[in-house]
Amino acid sequence: KDVKKIMQSENYSYSFDTKLDPSSNNTSERHVLKNSGKYHAVGADGGATGKGADLLIVDDFFKNRSEAESETTRHKRWESFTQDFLSRCAPVHIVLVLNTRWHVEDISGNILKRNNPNHKDYNAEFPKFRDLHFKALKDDGTYLFPERFSETWYKSMFASLGAYGVASLMQGEPTLRGGNMFQVEGVQIVEEMPNNLMFVRYWDLASTEKERISPDPDWTQGALVAYSENAEGLPQLFIKDLQGCQAEAPARNALIQRTASMDGSEVWQGVESVAGFKDSYTTLKSILKGKSIVHKGLVKGDKIVRASVLEPLFESGNIFMMKGAWNEELINELRQFPACVHDDRVDAVSGGYSMAKERYESADQLGGKLGRGAV
């Protein structure tokens, strides 16, 4: 529809002689009047069969971080690009690849290493591309697009995204994840929490038999957390308590019931409820019947992707923990993540962050300003 609107505009007709064929009214295919030219719009995973290309424009093959972090999706997109699209190009053609650099092995990354004579994957026969690289913060210290985005906006983005996000989304220079995702040195241990925070308790259950009976079984962990924003609008996470056990279902359920009673009915209780974890929600709902309302944690992406939202908070020193005996174990697990033996505490905290943020935002939508006990 945008293509049609542009080609029918006065500015377009002033610059070009071409007009749309009025009989061509399919939004995914436009024909030019009295000409053989046509335009096709197709999805990343197919629809190119039988369609040739003199000009091929590939725009953002990954829609978000979760897709780009998935090795399966990256492989699928690369095969689609090479097998389904490059193979459709005319003998003389132009290919434009426009993309956010989510990952070192995204479409651009795979092209660059095949074009680089010093890389082990160099292929002299692979099509040659010219690399146009636009950094948000340029080498001379100025910003890329000040006509639209202010310096304050850029600084806010750099502070919010964290080093890993900035490298890919802002600078177009993605890096591979390693251990030590979180700068735990910035965690602030406090004696008390601000008033008016809305807390949630998010449970990561060791629910399968394999998780419970191994020589070093996974933990069931429940993190009591709240989300808020400071005066600059930056997110903050408050971790008030952590309860956990390595136990079979009866002892685990008893811990959850005691903890929910201690929290009180005003605290949301939540648990992951997707794919193989739907039984976790059913279990929690059953054992807390009459005590608390249980909320579903509809998480997306693997645990590294889910935990990555916490990175900028650690870097900016906006993680606050209530002083307690559990602090050291949680900080040690955060320090080692994602290479730690057990990551149940991190899963509980990252799941709690998403649920607490959802609760905070839903309160704002209802017109209230509760939960703004930021420091």
Side-chain angles (χ1 to χ4, degrees), residues 31-73:
H31 292 247
V32 176
L33 188 65
K34 298 178 181 179
N35 198 295
S36 61
K38 66 176 68 173
Y39 155 89
H40 294 287
V42 297
D45 291 322
T49 304
K51 299 177 175 66
D54 299 294
L55 169 61
L56 171 65
I57 302 175
V58 178
D59 183 36
D60 271 335
F61 249 29
F62 299 112
K63 63 183 179 183
N64 53 33
R65 169 71 71 195
S66 181
E67 280 197 354
E69 296 279 3
S70 166
E71 184 176 359
T72 301
T73 303

Side-chain angles (χ1 to χ4, degrees), residues 67-86:
E67 280 197 354
E69 296 279 3
S70 166
E71 184 176 359
T72 301
T73 303
R74 290 198 308 272
H75 179 73
K76 183 180 180 182
R77 292 287 190 271
W78 178 248
E79 281 209 332
S80 180
F81 173 66
T82 55
Q83 308 296 317
D84 298 335
F85 290 98
L86 283 186

